[in-house]
């Protein structure tokens, strides 16, 4: 069974999101729309509201809606997903999405310190992203509090 995840903050879902989700549902056996918090955005709508909006406007049988408070990559592994699907609105989105893709693949080139701190605060392994000499200092400061500007 081919499973894809469409992750995002969906605050609120747009017609662009809806289009991508419905097109993905034709390519995969199951699509999970995963509503997450983006640590760099302050949401206007609650998680419950955002999930309810998606439920009310997405028309596809094989789409499930879920939420998660940890790392996207852990959720994807737990659910045997083979693809993460995100839309790019413009070239300006590319840098951020490229960094997310790199961090989700565990690769360390061009990663921002903010992303490393977010992974750390959500309990992820950052040992391949920062120098060994300062690994413990970062863990001590950032682990678990979720707000490391
Ligand atoms: O719709 P958005 O705001 O572009 O979605 C970004 C989102 C929510 C997919 C991203 O912030 C995310 O994956 N958050 C969950 C925590 C995580 O895995 N972070 C890893 C990157 S540091």
């Amino acid at each position: 069974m081919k499973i894809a995840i469409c992750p995002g903050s969906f605050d609120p879902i747009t017609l662009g999101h809806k289009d991508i989700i419905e097109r993905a549902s034709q390519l995969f056996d199951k699509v999970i729309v995963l509503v997450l918090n983006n640590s760099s955005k302050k949401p206007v709508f609650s998680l419950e509201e955002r999930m309810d909006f998606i439920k009310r406007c997405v028309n596809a049988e094989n789409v499930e809606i879920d939420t998660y408070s940890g790392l996207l990559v852990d959720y994807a592994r737990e659910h045997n997903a083979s693809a993460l699907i995100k839309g790019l609105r413009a070239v300006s989105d590319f840098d951020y999405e490229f960094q997310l893709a790199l961090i989700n693949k565990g690769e360390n080139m061009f990663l921002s310190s903010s992303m490393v701190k977010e992974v750390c605060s959500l309990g992820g392994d950052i040992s391949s992203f920062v120098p060994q000499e300062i690994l413990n200092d970062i863990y001590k400061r950032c682990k678990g509090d979720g707000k490391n500007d």
Side-chain angles (χ1 to χ4, degrees), residues 8-9 36-38 41 70-72 86 96 100 115 118 122:
S9 37
L36 297 161
N37 278 323
N38 180 333
K41 297 179 186 167
L71 285 169
L72 169 59
K86 290 215 70 189
Y96 173 70
L100 275 187
M115 288 221 176
E118 179 174 341
L122 292 171

Side-chain angles (χ1 to χ4, degrees), residues 18-84:
K18 175 174 149 68
D19 180 49
I20 285 171
I21 294 163
E22 290 175 356
R23 279 163 49 193
S25 76
Q26 292 168 8
L27 299 173
F28 290 86
D29 300 309
K30 181 163 97 176
V31 172
I32 303 173
V33 181
L34 190 61
V35 186
L36 297 161
N37 278 323
N38 180 333
S39 63
S40 57
K41 297 179 186 167
K42 193 174 178 301
V44 169
F45 295 99
S46 69
L47 277 170
E48 292 72 23
E49 286 171 317
R50 287 180 265 157
M51 291 172 77
D52 177 57
F53 289 169
I54 297 167
K55 200 181 298 167
R56 281 159 51 192
C57 55
V58 169
N59 304 306
E61 296 275 307
N62 56 341
V63 172
E64 289 177 12
I65 304 160
D66 200 3
T67 184
Y68 188 64
S69 56
L71 285 169
L72 169 59
V73 72
D74 291 336
Y75 182 96
R77 276 200 202 101
E78 282 164 23
H79 290 77
N80 292 318
S82 55
L84 296 176

